[in-house]
Amino acid sequence: MKTNSAIVLLFLGSATLLHAQTLSPPAYVTDAVADAARPAADRQVDNNRKPAALVTFAGIKPGDNVADVMPGGGYFTRIFSKVVGAKGHVYAVIPESLATKAPPEKFKPIHALVADPAYSGNTSIEIRPYDRLDVGAPLDVVWTSQNYHDVYGAVPVFSVSGSTGPEQAAKLDAAAFKALKPGGVFIVVDHAAAPGSGGRDASTLHRIDPATVIAQAKAAGFELEGTSDVLSNPQDGHDKLVFAPEIKGHTDKFVLKFRKPTVGSKTEP
């Protein structure tokens, strides 16, 4: 999808812009981040990943049902588990294509997490195709962090034979919309590409233009409620692979908050 910086500003200007860094995290969020059961490796990257600000921005709270789509090693899954508590549930959703193509050892960390007594009471693993997020309960939040570009760019282990990456990303958005309760939230965090680049760099630099994500989510029926620059880095020129040593862990990232309209409301045109 061809975009430009003017379209980005139009999209963002139509939303009520919320800023995560201006919101004080509630105690249940700060307690979850401070939880002693979290691995030391997770704690070491908190300054860069800013979990308290992001979870507060998302509005995740005790009792929520959350789908953590493409959870990796479970960095956010653990935090969500402690935030939602005994009355909530966290579904670690692994795409079917990834589950069949990636080596089994890739999933050992997330399997260990859901077996850990510190988290096992309210976490589970769900393997689903991109067009299905039917986890057995209406969801309050669907979250995906630093992987939307993989789906859109059809990075090999995320690809689906006979279908393009943009098609699969659109299916993911539609599945999120269907699975969420009215008023539910869809959060997308990812590495920013240059304005106007669309999905050009999704499979090479592992970046995507936020305007492309916004357009796809809105086409699925979502309203853009807000953005956050808590993970922004104006020094990132958007021209390097996100794994390059000089930028790894410090890329310019966008945070988008979409909401499924409640009954009777209208989506933006």
Side-chain angles (χ1 to χ4, degrees):
M1 182 176 296
K2 188 176 181 180
T3 60
N4 56 47
S5 57
I7 292 176
V8 177
L9 292 173
L10 176 62
F11 278 132
L12 300 186
S14 66
T16 301
L17 297 183
L18 306 177
H19 297 283
Q21 66 270 35
T22 66
L23 303 174
S24 296
Y28 53 79
V29 172
T30 55
D31 289 348
V33 173
D35 179 47
R38 295 182 65 221
D42 283 9
R43 294 168 176 271
Q44 289 170 1
V45 295
D46 283 349
N47 284 340
N48 291 332
R49 302 196 71 171
K50 310 238 183 314
L54 292 179
V55 174
T56 302
F57 178 68
I60 300 172
K61 62 188 183 302
D64 277 356
N65 291 322
V66 179
D68 187 4
V69 181
M70 295 168 279
Y75 175 89
F76 282 109
T77 313
R78 290 183 177 89
I79 294 171
F80 297 158
S81 172
K82 296 302 181 180
V83 169
V84 304
K87 294 184 178 181
H89 197 90
V90 183
Y91 303 88
V93 180
I94 300 172
E96 192 174 66
S97 58
L98 184 62
T100 57
K101 293 180 179 181
E105 56 266 24
K106 182 178 181 66
F107 307 106
K108 286 183 178 179
I110 197 68
H111 280 284
L113 186 159
V114 300
D116 186 338
Y119 307 102
S120 60
N122 68 351
T123 62
S124 60
I125 295 173
E126 307 287 338
I127 299 175
R128 295 285 186 273
Y130 292 117
D131 61 354
R132 282 178 49 199
L133 283 176
D134 49 336
V135 296
L139 296 170
D140 297 283
V141 179
V142 174
W143 173 288
T144 186
S145 178
Q146 299 179 193
N147 284 118
Y148 196 98
H149 71 271
D150 289 314
V151 180
Y152 191 96
V155 172
V157 292
F158 291 87
S159 64
V160 176
S161 299
S163 180
T164 69
E167 289 170 343
Q168 293 305 319
K171 288 181 178 181
L172 173 61
D173 294 341
F177 188 89
K178 182 178 179 180
L180 283 164
K181 299 175 182 177
V185 169
F186 181 34
I187 300 289
V188 180
V189 181
D190 215 333
H191 306 280
S197 63
R200 180 194 67 199
D201 300 326
S203 63
T204 53
L205 302 182
H206 290 259
R207 299 171 177 269
I208 191 167
D209 186 342
T212 296
V213 181
I214 292 169
Q216 285 204 308
K218 293 180 80 170
F222 285 106
E223 296 175 343
L224 176 63
E225 181 170 285
T227 70
S228 171
D229 59 3
V230 72
L231 296 178
S232 67
N233 177 9
Q235 303 306 313
D236 180 3
H238 305 125
D239 57 349
K240 292 183 174 61
L241 176 68
V242 301
F243 307 115
E246 63 269 30
I247 198 67
K248 184 178 180 180
H250 303 282
T251 57
D252 182 28
K253 301 178 189 69
F254 59 84
V255 184
L256 305 174
K257 182 176 184 177
F258 301 98
R259 192 172 294 277
K260 179 176 180 175
T262 55
V263 176
S265 67
K266 294 181 180 180
T267 59
E268 297 174 22

